[in-house]
Every structure is written in structure tokens, then in C-alpha cells.
Amino acid sequence: MKLPRLPRIALLLLLVFGLLLGGCQRSAPLPFRLTDISGHMPDLDFRLTDDHGKPVTGADYRGKVVLLYFGYTHCPDVCPLTLAHLHVVMQRLGGLADGARILFVSVDPTRDTPDVMHAYVNAFDPRAVGLTGSPRMVEALVKRYRSSFTREPGGTDGNYEVSHGSAIYLFDRDGHARALATPAASQDDIVHDLHLLLGSGAVQ
């Protein structure tokens, strides 16, 4: 028996509505242990020089999960401790670590030439990339991620320190900012969140 005309139209409308509703729903958010910054920070975007002297942009790291950290090679404590911390994290990821990169951006470009950066980052982890550039470019990138740095007065020997933010920004394979860690974050939590990003890719 044929359905009456009106019920058939109503059924069709319900079906279309259901499809539209399903298409509008977002995937469930990833259960990050670190601070979830999805949608609250800009995508990974910069124009700098890597530790091989090659111009690079944020787009060059699409397809990789990125850990972005600001520091400098003359840093007396926080930077080396953080990079050592991240090296252990990479080791714990095993083969998955090949899908991730640590981007160490210098806030002291005057002293941190590509050669200096290359020797420094490779002393910690082969998946670490040193990035440097003009003071203007570095300052713009730091501000983009709501961080800061200040060059302290130099001593009589000409040496100086640079105070800087210590956050570690995690970006997914599509360059979207997803999580924020500090050097005090546990390795377990960073490894957990990297597994989420490396295992499932970007979740919109």
C-alpha cells in the first residue's frame, strides 16, 4: 500500500534534517591532560631560518605534530632542562616520534646563528630543529603566541641573559594549536597528549 503524500514528504524532510544535523556536529574533543587551547591560539605560521641555514615556514611542518618552544642557547637552566625533558618524551614515543618535531625558536638571534643552533639542538634530540631569524621576525612570532622575552643588562664581560616564557605549544598535523604544557608538566601527560595527536591526526 502506498504511503499518503504528506507523510512521505514529512519522512523525507526528517531524513534531510537528520543528515544536516549530523554534518554540523563536531567530533568529540580529545581528552587532553595538558591545557586544551584548541581554537584559542593561531595556527602555526612563521618565516624563519632553520639550523641548516634554510628558509622555512610553518607550512613546511604540516603533516608533523609540532612542539614549539622559545629559548636560547646561552640559557643557563630552563632551556637545557626543557629540551632534555622533551628528549625523554620522544624516546618514550618510540617509532611514533618520527611523526613529531621539536621546534626550538631562539629569542637571542644575535648570538644564535644557524650553526650555533644546529650544534645545540642536536646535542639533545635528532628530531629537534633550531629556528632563528631577524629580531623583528622573532618578536612577531613570540607575540603571536602571547609569550614574551626581555634581554637583561649585560655584564662587564659582554655576556647577558634573556628572560623568556617557558610554555611548550603542541600543534596537530594540520598546524592547529591544540595543547599547552610547561616545563613542570609531567612526561606522562605530554606523552599521553602526543599519542592522541600522533595516533588520530587532527580533530576539527
Side-chain angles (χ1 to χ4, degrees):
M1 186 176 78
K2 292 184 178 181
L3 290 173
R5 185 175 180 80
L6 288 178
R8 184 182 294 175
I9 293 174
L11 184 62
L12 181 61
L13 289 174
L14 285 173
L15 179 61
V16 171
F17 179 75
L19 290 172
L20 289 174
L21 183 61
C24 291
Q25 289 178 337
R26 290 189 173 189
S27 301
L30 292 177
F32 291 121
R33 292 183 183 176
L34 303 172
T35 302
D36 189 340
I37 58 172
S38 302
H40 299 289
M41 283 280 183
D43 292 349
L44 187 66
D45 186 27
F46 58 80
R47 291 183 179 275
L48 295 171
T49 302
D50 70 12
D51 54 72
H52 292 283
K54 176 185 174 183
V56 292
T57 68
D60 290 316
Y61 298 96
R62 294 291 187 271
K64 300 289 185 183
V65 170
V66 167
L67 297 87
L68 179 72
Y69 180 70
F70 297 104
Y72 67 114
T73 63
H74 287 73
C75 184
D77 40 40
V78 177
C79 296
L81 288 174
T82 300
L83 289 175
H85 190 59
L86 294 180
H87 169 63
V88 176
V89 166
M90 289 295 202
Q91 285 185 315
R92 291 181 56 182
L93 289 173
L96 283 176
D98 291 337
R101 290 293 181 271
I102 301 167
L103 300 187
F104 181 71
V105 180
S106 174
V107 292
D108 185 21
T110 301
R111 292 184 293 187
D112 287 342
T113 64
D115 287 343
V116 170
M117 292 289 279
H118 184 74
Y120 187 79
V121 297
N122 277 270
F124 290 97
D125 195 275
R127 287 144 304 208
V129 179
L131 297 175
T132 188
S134 70
R136 185 175 181 178
M137 289 178 173
V138 171
E139 183 177 354
L141 185 60
V142 170
K143 287 183 177 179
R144 179 176 177 84
Y145 297 106
R146 304 172 195 170
S147 190
S148 63
F149 68 96
T150 304
R151 175 174 165 170
E152 304 296 341
T156 55
D157 57 0
N159 288 324
Y160 58 88
E161 293 186 7
V162 182
S163 299
H164 59 88
S166 57
I168 304 164
Y169 304 83
L170 275 62
F171 296 82
D172 65 25
R173 296 181 189 274
D174 291 333
H176 303 315
R178 303 307 302 273
L180 183 71
T182 68
S186 74
Q187 291 174 1
D188 287 344
D189 288 351
I190 299 176
V191 170
H192 173 273
D193 287 4
L194 286 174
H195 267 288
L196 293 177
L197 295 174
L198 288 164
S200 60
V203 176
Q204 300 301 321

